[in-house]
Amino acid sequence: MILVAYDGSDDAREAIAHVGRLMPGATTTVVSVWEPFVDALRHSTFGMGTLMAGTVVETEIDEAKLAESRESADEGVELAVEAGLVARPRSESRVGSIAETLLVTAAAVDADLVVAGTRGRGGFASFVLGSVSNALVQHADRAILIVPSPALAERRATGTDRG
């Protein structure tokens, strides 16, 4: 069983394609992680998010985020099937970091391997929350495969990527 992290990014798409090339026919779970509203607000407002806990707004936002996560996981499954994998979707509410959530999910599905792209959607969130791929490697209790996007791999091969 292979767990593939999927967030819709180019790197996540490449991770799925790479697994398909390396292990055609493998059984995979494509997981999309979503963050509950209060947790997201807590990150952005230094704890003020707890004031919104239990409100109708929180419930509606969480339902929308869950639906978006399920759609993302379904999209990842479509890509996995196109890549020759046997895949099923999974949506997980973030508990702790995204990497922690992926590792807990990997244990729950008894994954032999966790696959993720080098970088996700990036931006300020990556700066604040840290690198998911780095955290996976540092805290894993099972095999991890980190797949760079073709563009990133090319930049690294030519020495034009300094990051």
Side-chain angles (χ1 to χ4, degrees), residues 2 17-27 80 83-86:
I2 301 168
H18 199 81
V19 171
R21 289 189 300 271
L22 287 177
M23 297 168 258
T27 301
L85 301 168
V86 176

Side-chain angles (χ1 to χ4, degrees), residues 1 37 40 47 50-51 63 81 91 103 115 120 125-126 133 147 150 157:
M1 163 65 72
F37 174 71
T50 55
L51 298 175
E63 288 172 359
V81 169
S91 180
L103 292 172
V115 180
S126 290
S133 58
V147 181

Side-chain angles (χ1 to χ4, degrees), residues 19-148:
V19 171
R21 289 189 300 271
L22 287 177
M23 297 168 258
T27 301
T28 61
T29 297
V30 177
V31 64
S32 174
V33 177
W34 65 280
E35 184 170 30
F37 174 71
V38 169
D39 292 342
L41 202 54
R42 206 174 281 129
H43 292 304
S44 64
T45 60
F46 306 101
M48 296 300 289
T50 55
L51 298 175
M52 297 291 290
T55 66
V56 172
V57 171
E58 175 193 4
T59 301
E60 290 174 358
I61 290 172
D62 282 353
E63 288 172 359
K65 288 180 135 305
L66 174 59
E68 182 181 299
S69 177
R70 286 180 175 158
E71 287 175 17
S72 180
D74 288 342
E75 176 183 289
V77 165
E78 288 177 23
L79 294 171
V81 169
E82 289 172 11
L85 301 168
V86 176
R88 65 178 178 215
R90 188 168 178 128
S91 180
E92 289 292 331
S93 172
R94 179 178 166 174
V95 178
S97 71
I98 292 172
E100 284 178 79
T101 305
L102 292 171
L103 292 172
V104 166
T105 304
V109 300
D110 198 24
D112 298 305
L113 174 67
V114 177
V115 180
T118 307
R119 297 176 178 152
R121 294 189 179 253
F124 185 70
S126 290
F127 173 73
V128 172
L129 302 174
S131 168
V132 172
S133 58
N134 183 54
L136 283 172
V137 171
Q138 295 301 317
H139 301 286
D141 61 349
R142 62 199 65 235
I144 304 291
L145 173 62
I146 305 299
V147 181

